[in-house]
Amino acid sequence: MTVPPLTLSPSAARRVAQIAAKQGKPAILRLSVEGGGCSGFQYKFGLAEAAEGEDLVVETDGVRLVVDPVSHDFIAGCVVDYVESLGGAAFKVENPNAAASCGCGSSFAV
């Protein structure tokens, strides 16, 4: 069985590169899934120093997205995007595995 890949959009890659450059860190975005949020699970984003042992690593325009194996089970096939709107700017996960999500877009249920 082939595991659906993750995708880091070009706009998300650009934003990660900008944030990493400002903070003097490598352009590596770590995405993980944790219990909590209004729908059962929530996404957590942060800059990482490096990929760890069994992380899935996806690269777009020289920027890496890293995900641990447990989190990957919940977000396989996702697209991580960066969107700017009148309400603000944020990283957004388009998750085909989510059965429901909340209005804030940062938590989901499977």
Side-chain angles (χ1 to χ4, degrees):
M1 178 172 113
T2 303
V3 178
L6 293 172
T7 304
L8 181 65
S9 75
S11 64
R14 274 192 303 276
R15 186 62 182 147
V16 170
Q18 291 169 348
I19 294 168
K22 242 184 212 181
Q23 295 185 11
K25 295 190 174 200
I28 303 172
L29 178 66
R30 175 167 296 283
L31 170 59
S32 58
V33 174
E34 297 180 344
C38 37
S39 294
F41 295 100
Q42 61 188 359
Y43 303 111
K44 182 179 176 190
F45 292 99
L47 289 180
E49 292 295 325
E52 295 175 10
E54 296 188 9
D55 284 345
L56 174 75
V57 180
V58 177
E59 191 166 320
T60 300
D61 299 333
V63 175
R64 291 186 287 169
L65 170 66
V66 295
V67 178
D68 65 88
V70 174
S71 295
H72 185 257
D73 290 344
F74 293 101
I75 56 176
C78 286
V79 175
V80 177
D81 199 6
Y82 182 75
V83 292
E84 295 184 46
S85 67
L86 291 175
F91 288 102
K92 178 182 174 192
V93 179
E94 296 169 20
N95 189 342
N97 307 306
S101 61
C102 65
C104 68
S106 64
S107 71
F108 66 101
V110 288

